[in-house]
Structures are given as C-alpha cells and as structure tokens.
Amino acid sequence: SAVISQKPSRDICQRGTSLTIQCQVDSQVTMMFWYRQQPGQSLTLIATANQGSEATYESGFVIDKFPISRPNLTFSTLTVSNMSPEDSSIYLCSVDLSGSEADTQYFGPGTRLTVL
Amino acid sequence: TQLLEQSPQFLSIQEGENLTVYCNSSSVFSSLQWYRQEPGEGPVLLVTVVTGGEVKKLKRLTFQFGDARKDSSLHITAAQPGDTGLYLCAGPFSNSGYALNFGKGTSLLVTP
C-alpha cells in the first residue's frame, strides 16, 4: 500500500482566487491521478499526471483551469484557478501501484474546497 | 463512455440485517474495484476482482464479479454501524491506462 497526504485538508476561498493543492506519497510512483468529488456525488477524473510528461486531461477539464505539476516521483500539485462557487468540491489525488494487484489505486484523504 | 450504474443509491437498515449492493455496466471491464468512503476521508480500497465469476470474501463482506465481467455485487452479512459509509465500485478506463471510472455510489446507513 501507499501513504498519501494532501495539503491543505480544507480551505475556504474567495471567488476569482487560485488554490494549489499538494499531494505527497511515501514511495516513488509513476502514475498519479487527480479526481474531483462534488457534494453528494461520486468521483470524476480530472487528469492523469505522470512524472516526466505533461498531464493528460479528461473531457471537461483544461490545463488553464487546473494546471498540474509533477516534479518528481513522490509529489504533485493541482491548482484550481480563478475559482467560482461551482469549484466547491473535494479534490483527491491517488496513485497506482501497478505490480501489486491489477489496477489498484490508493487515495489521499482529500482537500475540501469551499468557494464563496 | 463506460458507465457504471450502482443500485440502490441509498440504503438505511438496522444492525444485523443483510444487504446487497449492485454495480452494472454494458461494458466489459478487465477488473472492478470496490471502495468504501467515510465522511472527510478518501476512498479506501476493499477488494479488486479480476476473473469472471470470481468470489472474494472479506470478513462479513462478499464480493462477486459477473461471469461476463460486466457487473459485480457486494453482499454484507449482519451489518454493523461501522459499515456505514459510501460504497463505490470502479473500473479502469479503457483508454486512460489505470485511471478509474467510478459509479455514483451507494450510501449505506446502519443504525443500532
């Protein structure tokens, strides 16, 4: 398994500002993912962040709005830019430990974002 | 789009009852995973099923993968208040490597 931490755990932000969320893993992993979980909803994939390459975004998510960094094999950041109340969600990072079991992913505790 | 449909969406039962949660799709998945998420936490992996027809048991939880690998079920025997949470099934995207496609979840409440 993997131990994943996220910072901040929660934040309340003003409309129009940006927030950078950090994700730290206790081991080196190739694939990291960012998901969004809107209130009362399931998880939606935002992007895949592999070290050494540009993040790959899912339909409906763009780099200008959700820039991602992946500087090394244990760390990634997701920025939520020019926030609006519709961005209020839980943002989760996850890692894939391919080689341990098929398609096994482990999630961080999430960052609960409220935009006023 | 590989949609995963979960049912029921909400379930409220008393301690000691049995329940089954279903996860269905029209698409074939190489594997399906079940997660439980508690408020304020990220999802925690319960099990991964890989082989069609496979049955896995985790204490009072029994997971089954359909023969055609299009559906899965989670059965809880003698539910306890500690089982309360959001149960999510997920399967890998066919075109995004190991990224997961999640069902909408089943919110379970077990009252004493």
Side-chain angles (χ1 to χ4, degrees), chain A residues 31 33 35 37 41-43 45 48 58 90 92 96 98 101-110 112, chain B residues 30-31 33 35 37 40-43 45 48 50 56 86 88 92-93 96 98-100 102-105:
Chain A
M31 287 180 281
F33 307 92
Y35 291 84
Q37 187 174 26
Q41 301 295 316
S42 188
L43 283 74
L45 179 68
T48 300
E58 296 301 305
I90 299 172
L92 298 129
D96 179 82
S98 55
E101 193 169 356
D103 309 315
T104 299
Q105 286 192 24
Y106 295 90
F107 284 82
R112 183 179 294 272
Chain B
S30 58
S31 65
Q33 302 181 28
Y35 291 82
Q37 184 179 25
E41 303 288 333
L45 179 67
T48 299
V50 178
K56 282 191 174 180
L86 179 66
L88 297 155
F93 278 97
S96 296
Y98 293 94
L100 290 175
F102 280 84
K104 291 187 180 296

Side-chain angles (χ1 to χ4, degrees), chain A residues 56 62-63 65-66 108-109:
Chain A
T56 302
V62 294
I63 187 171
K65 176 67 176 178
F66 297 101

Side-chain angles (χ1 to χ4, degrees), chain B residues 12-112:
Chain B
S12 180
I13 61 173
Q14 289 195 314
E15 183 175 4
E17 293 184 20
N18 301 332
L19 67 117
T20 302
V21 176
Y22 299 93
C23 175
N24 296 293
S25 176
S26 58
S27 302
V28 175
F29 285 90
S30 58
S31 65
L32 280 179
Q33 302 181 28
W34 285 93
Y35 291 82
R36 182 171 71 207
Q37 184 179 25
E38 298 184 30
E41 303 288 333
V44 176
L45 179 67
L46 297 174
V47 78
T48 299
V49 286
V50 178
T51 305
E54 181 177 11
V55 176
K56 282 191 174 180
K57 292 192 174 184
L58 185 65
K59 297 183 180 178
R60 294 175 293 100
L61 278 60
T62 301
F63 304 86
Q64 186 163 8
F65 201 11
D67 290 341
R69 292 185 288 128
K70 293 183 178 181
D71 56 88
S72 182
S73 63
L74 158 61
H75 182 79
I76 301 179
T77 303
Q80 299 177 0
D83 296 327
T84 293
L86 179 66
Y87 288 82
L88 297 155
C89 70
F93 278 97
S94 62
N95 61 348
S96 296
Y98 293 94
L100 290 175
N101 179 26
F102 280 84
K104 291 187 180 296
T106 294
S107 182
L108 171 65
L109 174 64
V110 183
T111 54

